[in-house]
């Protein structure tokens, strides 16, 4: 039995988008997986003309009961279906590592789109989902396949850890253009920002520190807590991405924990369960209460959260959660 992982990337270099997929490929390579590179033409017409031959050539060495891991979505339905067709034809076992479920994020009111996506996911032998809330949603919408909860994404880095202390600034890293809540920040607590598309309308307590690529970013995140929040409101996570946090594991949680940095998350976010269970941060109702909540954190409580975050940092930096989930998936199939 041979094991394969599909290597494919898309997105901006200075966002975390491609990093999650690259990291999973690297982790699986260190676990004996062969990497298969696929570069499909961007044009839909060219994909239709050449994708079948490219994929047949790429999968020519597949044998019965080999393991093939694909990361979803790969932003080509044509490519996804052709890869699954070749895998099924050769009786290869397929595992899908889910990064995003667009039926939950973008198409939750579009029954046709939901059905199309669930049909695609249903063709895999086993799914690695973010957490139990995502698993429950998929089950409730008719997907009856073995599913393994990842727990949290890994974040590979060999950067030195930043300074982490209760008395330092809060930290937020991400796409600032879609984080409009930052323009309404009223807290006295100081906040350091990293990311693309900053606003010109931040409060004096906010300090913008520029753009760093995802691989170098961890060493710059000196702070007390990393904030995980989405939308344009301080009171709740809202909008498309804010609502999505009820089901997904934001990659920035993994970024912060890779630094040994405790986190602050919304109480209704799916990842809040993980934060509570591992005692690596604070779970809050809204950001208007941030000063009050931080004021109640004792030095002893903070030290416990920091120590727990450091323990998780070692796991996240070395691919523990991916390796664990894939091993469980292989046993399932």
């Amino acid at each position: 039995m041979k094991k394969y992982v599909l290597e494919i990337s898309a997105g901006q270099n200075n966002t975390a988008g491609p990093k999650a997929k690259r990291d999973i490929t690297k982790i699986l390579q260190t676990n004996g997986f062969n990497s298969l590179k696929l570069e499909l033409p961007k044009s839909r017409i060219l994909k239709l003309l050449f994708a079948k031959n490219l994929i047949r050539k790429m999968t020519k060495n597949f044998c019965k009961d080999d393991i093939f891991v694909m990361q979803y979505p790969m932003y080509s339905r044509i490519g996804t279906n052709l890869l699954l067709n070749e895998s099924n034809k050769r009786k290869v076992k397929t595992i899908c590592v889910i990064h995003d479920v667009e039926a939950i994020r973008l198409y939750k009111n579009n029954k046709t789109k939901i059905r199309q996506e669930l049909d695609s996911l249903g063709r895999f032998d086993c799914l690695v989902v973010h957490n139990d809330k995502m698993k429950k949603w998929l089950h409730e919408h008719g997907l009856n396949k073995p599913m393994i909860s990842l727990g949290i994404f890994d974040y590979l880095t060999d950067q030195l850890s930043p300074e982490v202390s209760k008395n330092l600034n809060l930290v937020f890293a991400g796409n600032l253009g879609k984080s409009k809540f930052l323009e309404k920040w009223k807290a006295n607590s100081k906040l350091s920002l990293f990311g693309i598309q900053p606003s010109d309308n931040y409060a004096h307590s906010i300090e913008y520190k520029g753009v760093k690529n995802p691989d170098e970013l961890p060493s710059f995140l000196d702070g007390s807590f990393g904030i995980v929040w989405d939308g344009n409101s301080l009171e709740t996570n809202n909008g498309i991405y804010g609502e999505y946090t009820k089901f997904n594991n934001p990659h920035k949680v993994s970024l912060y924990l890779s630094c040994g940095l405790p986190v602050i998350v919304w109480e209704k976010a799916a990842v809040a369960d993980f934060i509570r269970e591992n005692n690596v941060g604070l779970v809050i109702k809204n950001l208007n209460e941030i000063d009050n909540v931080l004021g109640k954190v004792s030095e002893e409580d903070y030290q416990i959260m920091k120590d727990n975050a450091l323990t998780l940092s070692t796991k996240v930096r070395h691919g523990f959660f991916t390796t664990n989930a894939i091993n469980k998936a292989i046993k399932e199939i």
Side-chain angles (χ1 to χ4, degrees):
M1 177 191 77
K2 290 187 176 179
K3 298 180 291 185
Y4 300 92
V5 57
L6 181 66
E7 184 176 345
I8 192 166
S9 65
Q12 296 164 288
N13 288 332
N14 285 327
T15 70
K19 179 167 173 57
K21 290 183 178 179
R22 285 201 310 266
D23 281 356
I24 286 174
T25 299
K26 288 179 184 176
I27 292 162
L28 295 185
Q29 284 176 316
T30 64
N31 281 276
F33 279 73
N34 299 292
S35 176
L36 298 178
K37 292 185 180 181
L38 177 63
E39 294 183 15
L40 292 175
K42 291 184 179 180
S43 160
R44 181 174 175 80
I45 294 174
L46 291 177
K47 278 179 189 170
L48 287 168
L49 288 172
F50 297 112
K52 186 175 286 189
N53 284 336
L54 286 172
I55 286 171
R56 278 181 177 169
K57 186 177 180 180
M58 189 188 78
T59 60
K60 65 181 180 181
N61 293 321
F62 276 7
C63 296
K64 182 181 178 182
D65 293 331
D66 283 348
I67 305 289
F68 182 36
V69 173
M70 289 172 58
Q71 301 189 61
Y72 179 93
M74 59 178 279
Y75 301 107
S76 169
R77 190 184 303 169
I78 295 169
T80 302
N81 287 331
L82 287 171
L83 280 165
L84 286 167
N85 289 345
E86 288 299 315
S87 299
N88 293 339
K89 189 188 303 181
R90 299 165 187 267
K91 301 189 185 306
V92 169
K93 302 291 188 180
T94 54
I95 297 171
C96 175
V97 178
I98 292 178
H99 288 268
D100 285 303
V101 179
E102 303 298 13
I104 303 177
R105 181 169 67 168
L106 298 177
Y107 305 129
K108 60 184 180 180
N109 296 316
N110 187 323
K111 291 183 179 179
T112 301
K113 293 280 191 181
I114 291 172
R115 188 71 264 148
Q116 286 176 346
E117 184 160 43
L118 293 178
D119 285 346
S120 289
L121 292 174
R123 297 188 64 195
F124 290 91
D125 294 303
C126 186
L127 307 173
V128 175
V129 301
H130 291 202
N131 52 60
D132 289 344
K133 290 199 167 76
M134 182 177 282
K135 181 192 293 187
K136 182 181 178 184
W137 189 94
L138 291 168
H139 272 311
E140 288 176 346
H141 287 76
L143 192 60
N144 295 311
K145 287 285 181 173
M147 296 187 211
I148 307 298
S149 288
L150 180 62
I152 197 169
F153 281 99
D154 293 305
Y155 198 104
L156 301 185
T157 179
D158 56 6
Q159 295 284 321
L160 293 175
S161 295
E163 182 182 355
V164 176
S165 167
K166 182 176 182 290
N167 300 315
L168 294 176
N169 287 7
L170 300 170
V171 171
F172 182 86
N175 184 336
L176 305 179
K178 71 179 185 69
S179 305
K180 298 298 184 184
F181 73 90
L182 292 166
E183 297 178 31
K184 301 176 181 178
W185 188 264
K186 300 173 185 175
N188 293 320
S189 302
K190 292 185 177 180
L191 176 61
S192 300
L193 298 187
F194 296 84
I196 61 172
Q197 300 180 23
S199 169
D200 295 323
N201 301 311
Y202 293 140
H204 292 300
S205 57
I206 290 181
E207 181 181 2
Y208 177 60
K209 294 198 170 185
V211 179
K212 308 294 179 186
N213 74 54
D215 292 311
E216 68 177 353
L217 182 56
S219 64
F220 290 90
L221 299 185
D222 296 342
S224 55
F225 289 92
I227 292 179
V228 183
W229 207 263
D230 262 297
N232 60 17
S233 172
L234 295 172
E235 296 180 357
T236 184
N237 278 207
N238 64 0
I240 291 171
Y241 296 99
E243 285 292 313
Y244 188 46
T245 61
K246 293 178 180 178
F247 302 96
N248 81 322
N249 290 346
H251 198 235
K252 62 168 55 68
V253 176
S254 303
L255 163 65
Y256 298 146
L257 291 176
S258 77
C259 304
L261 187 65
V263 300
I264 295 174
V265 303
W266 182 41
E267 65 175 2
K268 294 182 181 177
V271 78
D273 292 340
F274 182 91
I275 302 308
R276 288 192 191 98
E277 288 165 10
N278 291 278
N279 193 13
V280 287
L282 303 173
V283 175
I284 65 173
K285 290 182 179 179
N286 64 71
L287 286 173
N288 289 319
E289 65 179 16
I290 193 78
D291 288 339
N292 184 45
V293 169
L294 291 173
K296 294 179 180 178
V297 177
S298 68
E299 290 287 351
E300 182 182 1
D301 288 341
Y302 183 80
Q303 190 61 47
I304 291 170
M305 287 186 279
K306 178 181 172 181
D307 289 344
N308 291 339
L310 280 170
T311 299
L312 276 183
S313 170
T314 301
K315 291 184 174 182
V316 167
R317 283 172 170 246
H318 294 93
F320 170 84
F321 292 96
T322 302
T323 302
N324 187 50
I326 293 297
N327 286 340
K328 287 181 178 178
I330 290 173
K331 287 180 182 178
E332 280 285 343
I333 58 177

